[in-house]
Every structure is written in structure tokens, then in C-alpha cells.
Amino acid sequence: MNRYQAPLRDLRFALYDVLGVEALYARLGFASAQRELMDAVLEEGAKFTQNVLAPLNAVGDREGCTHDAATGAVSAPSGFKQAYAQFVDGGWSGLVAPEAYGGQGLPESFGVALKEMIDAANLAWGNYPLLSHGATEALKQHAEEWQRQVFLKPIVEGRWTGTMCLTEPHCGTDLGLLKTKASPNPDGSFAISGTKIFITAGEHDFTDNIVHLVLARLPDAPAGTKGISLFIVPKMKVGRDGVVGAHNAVRCGSIEHKMGIHGSATCVMHFDSAQGWLIGQPNKGLMAMFTMMNTARLAVGIQGLGLADRAFQNALAYARERLQMRSLSGAKYPDKPADPIIVHPDVRRMLLTCKALIEGSRLLAYHAATLVDILDHGADTEEKKRADELLGFLTPIVKACLTEWGVECTYHALQCFGGHGYIAEHGMEQLARDARITTLYEGTTGIQALDLLGRKIMQLQGAGLLAFLSMIEDFCKQHTDDPALAEFIVPLQDKARQWQTLTLEVGKRAATDADEVGAASVDYLFFSGYVALAYWWARAVAAADASSAASADFRTAKRETARFYFARILPRTLAHAEAIRAGAKPLLALDAALFGL
Ligand SMILES: Cc1cc2nc3c(=O)[nH]c(=O)nc-3n(C[C@H](O)[C@H](O)[C@H](O)COP(=O)(O)OP(=O)(O)OC[C@H]3O[C@@H](n4cnc5c(N)ncnc54)[C@H](O)[C@@H]3O)c2cc1C
């Protein structure tokens, strides 16, 4: 059986010891985010995810969702609806939502810890609240007050859920091509017509109503992305007074059969003059939707992290028990018929790769989430500006690296099981299949890389990178005389310098040939991710050494894992740098017509 144990010790270490959230939350005015309450919430979250969600993970994979072609109704797998009811009863749906709309107003970065546990326990189930969270953010920031009262409150309370309807059959990445139409109605609403595909949680049996956030074009809207508006289209019509009326002209035509996350309904949605309400300004919908997409991008990064952790936990338990062959340097457990496979260097390589990527990623992602809190609740304009630049810079790194590492780690973990990883019994192949979607939805890895290099570095003059480099510099200066940290500080400073040089080199080339950006982007993204993780690993060692709560074993584990990271993972940057320096030519030289010869 595939197990999940919420990693509470490391979650607390990340939040309290490394990121110092207690002081941050106090400064940002989160009165209720006290240690005692946060600890209790983490404990309860662990119980809910371990006991309720985790056992349903395999059920969801086996059963999948079902679609009734006659009515368009969709049923989630057994137990999913009941788990959602428990989630709502426990007050989890509004954990980080504003108190003004019925939420508990806890910090976003604290909610990320709960999210990680949910994703690890049951990624497919977690997609339903994930979409509601994204819709909450978009409505909070862009909707009119009546819209917030009518649509946001029920979502926060968990009575309704949200969706994000962007993709159409002919347009995924390139939303400028979208065709769904919106025509004004005499009562101020709009008639929305078109077909959206791949809509997560587009239809299900958890709640009576579903609030679709739909991108569509108004009559005479300019072509491309400048002519896209955002609309609220509820499944059941809702008036300005909040009274729920008849079924809207929205229907789920079918659901997709897919590689993983079978318990998450992926729907084709038909809008046939459905009643909708404009959110924000006409033709500015993409900007509003980006609020939702940015939240969702961080959230999908966390999905990669959660899956990697669950896979690692199971591989570790297996590697301690599975007896095969003897250690090359002599039997380590002579009383047993063979040694457990954890003695073999190659198995340790796979396990340590997972451990190093997971624990480093946790810090990278949780830190990014604290920037959301600073942006939303900070009082200092300069600090908010810096948080905005850093968050914009880190979001594509978190989304793309954590999901790609999620795929890598689930594969390493499966490999530790040998052939037993490939068969369904241990649940490892499900984790590997489930992880695969995370590098695709919410913008593929390639698109995140273009966002990072093309926009955050080239267009915005690397403001976020400079902010991150100054964090590295500050930390290195602070520990410059600390011999215990020198083994990390020196290579970190070196990598930070290489990062700067590489960025300048890419910028120079791109100034004369735009294809250089596309050619360098994914390698640049990984180079950035690995250096960012080196910074967080150095900080983790420093924080563990300084923490009175950390045991000697905990400190040793952090230091040795950091050593492994610096020695065996960070050198991946060398290959990425070489590939970047090779430039666009090797990629573009072969004529497209000659690829298939
Ligand atoms: C299970 C699932 C759930 C989903 N949930 C939702 C949802 O809730 N709402 C929603 O609106 N959508 C959803 N999607 C859609 C998802 O976001 C898109 O599939 C994704 O953005 C990619 O779009 P596409 O599939 O059309 O691929 P395409 O855009 O056709 O891309 C194909 C390939 O080309 C690459 N590519 C495209 N343009 C460029 C470029 N300029 N430079 C470099 N490479 C490029 C891409 O990286 C990719 O590798 C979901 C998809 C799936 C499979």
C-alpha cells in the first residue's frame, strides 16, 4: 500500500526556523497567525490529509470520474464528495480567504503547507479546491463588490466551487486565438457562447453550483490578447440579489480519459448563450485572469513538491526493507540473507536526489508564497515593489522546476522499487503518471521558461534576479566569517557570479537575434532553479545549526543533504551553461522538412 505521512517536522522547520514566519506575520498584521494556532492547524491538516484523502488516492485512480451524456452530470469517484463535505465542515475552504468574505484570513504562505499535504495525499481531489482558490483570488482583486458578495462568499464557504475556462480546441498556449463570444444583454449581463476544453472541475457532484471564470471576446473587440474579457458564468443562474435561479446554458459535453489524475474531472464545456457577468474592464480580461494563473502556477509547483515527497517517503521505506545483494564494500547486515538496498550507492543517489530536491524546493516555494503575503498585506511601498519583482521572477521557476523535479523524483522513487514500482500494487506508477500533468497545465515548462527569460529578465531588466542576487549577497556577507558554513558560502558566491555573467551573455546575444531567448530559455530556467536551491540549502544548514528545536540528528541530516546537493546536483548547472552558450544555431540549423528523414 502507498503511504503518506505529512512531514510536519520539516514543514515547521521551513516556516518557523528558516523563513521566520512568526515575526513576518506579526509585522504584516495577521493577528490570528500565532504559533499555537498554526501548530494545531498543521496537526489537523495532517490528520485530514493522511486519514481521509490519502486512502482515496488509489480509489480515484481506479474508478475515475463518470459522465452522464444525457444530463451532462459528472460524478467524482467514491468518497470524493464526502471528503469535500468534511473539508468544508472543517473550515478548510476559507483558511486563507479574507475574513470579510467568510474566510479565516490566515496567511497565504501558511496555507501552502496545507496545500502541500493535500497534493501529496490526493492530487486529483486537490484540484477541486485549487480551482476555487484561484477563482477566489481573481474575484477578490478584480470583481465588483456585488459580485464578491454574490459569488465569492459561497466559494470561500465551500458551498460552490470555481473553474478557470481559458483553453479552446484550437488554442492553449496562444490565448490570442480564442473565439468564445460575449454579447451584451439588455439587463447588463452578457450572453456567452463557445466551447472550452480541458476544464478542470468544470462539472462535478460536490456542490450545487459552479462558478466558471470564462475568457471571451466582446463584439468589435480587437484581435489577439488585447481583445479578451473575463466573465463570471455560474452553472446555476444567480441574480445581483444572490437569488439562485434556473440552470444556465452551460453543459459538460464529455470528460477526458487521461494518463493520470483520473479523479479530477477534465471537462469539455459548452456555453450556449449562457448568462455571464463581466469582471473588471472590457478587453482587460487576460490581465485579470493572470491573477488567477499566477496563484495557480505557484499552486501547481506545490503539486510537484507534494507528489515527489509522497513518492520519496514510500521509496525510502521500501529501500530500508527490501533485501537484495550485498554492499560492494562487504555485508552491512550479515545476520540477514542480503543487505537492504539502501546500502547501495546508486539507490542512495536516487533517494538523496529526491530528498535534496524536495526539502530545497519546499523553501523556495514557501518563500515565494510569503511574497504574496507581503504584496497583499505589507505597508512599506518599497518592500512591496521588491516583493512584486521577486515574485514575478520566482513564479515561473517554482512552477517549472518543482513540477519537472516532481516528475524526476517520482521516477527515481519508482526505480527504487525495481519491477515492483511498475506494477500497480505499490501505487508508485500512479504517482509517476499523476506527476506528468503538472509540467503541462498552467503553462508548459517551455512557456514558463520564456516568461522567465523573455519577460522577467529581458523586458523587466532582470529586476527580480537582481533582488534575488542581493538576498544571496546579504546572506553570504552575514556568514562570511562562519567557518562551519564556508563549504556552502564559497560555491554559492561563485554560482551567483556565474548566473550574472550568463544572464548578460544571453542578453547580448538576444539583442541581435530574438531566437536566442527561446533557445536558451529552458536551460536558463534550470540553471536559475539549481542556484536558487543552493541558496536555500545554505540557509537551511544555517537555520538548523541555529535552531534550538533541531536535534543533532536533524542538523546532521540537513548538513549532509546540503553537501550532497552541492556535490552531486548543483554541477548540473555546468551542462545547462554549456548548452546555453552553444546558442540557437544547433537548434535551428536543420530544416523542418529534414527532421523526419
Ligand atoms: C488534465 C488537464 C487539465 C487542464 N485544466 C485546465 C483548466 O482548468 N482550464 C484551462 O483553461 N485549461 C486547462 N488545461 C489546458 C492546459 O493549460 C493546456 O493544455 C496547456 O496550457 C498547453 O496548451 P495546449 O495543450 O494547447 O498545447 P500547445 O499550446 O499547443 O503547445 C504544444 C507544445 O508547444 C509548445 N509551445 C507552444 N507555443 C510555444 C512557444 N511560443 N515557444 C515555445 N514552445 C511553445 C508548448 O510548450 C508545448 O510543448 C488542462 C489540460 C489538461 C491536460
Side-chain angles (χ1 to χ4, degrees), residues 131 163-174 197-201 258 261 266 437 440-447 450:
L131 267 298
T163 75
M164 189 165 99
C165 299
L166 289 72
T167 307
E168 298 179 6
H170 57 283
C171 79
T173 301
D174 191 354
I197 63 164
F198 295 167
I199 304 308
T200 300
K258 48 197 194 292
I261 55 165
T266 307
I437 184 59
L440 297 165
Y441 57 18
E442 284 313 324
T444 60
T445 301
I447 295 309
L450 276 184

Side-chain angles (χ1 to χ4, degrees), residues 21 52 70 77 79 186 252 268 298 316 359-360 386 413 415 420 422 440 459 504 512 515 540:
V21 297
V52 179
C252 173
V268 174
L298 285 182
L316 176 61
E359 292 174 19
R386 189 178 136 104
Q415 189 78 8
H420 297 271
Y422 192 71
L440 297 165
Q459 279 180 31
L504 289 173
T512 52
D515 272 332

Side-chain angles (χ1 to χ4, degrees), residues 333-344:
Y333 294 82
D335 53 320
K336 297 189 172 172
D339 283 337
I341 59 172
I342 197 165
V343 305
H344 303 310

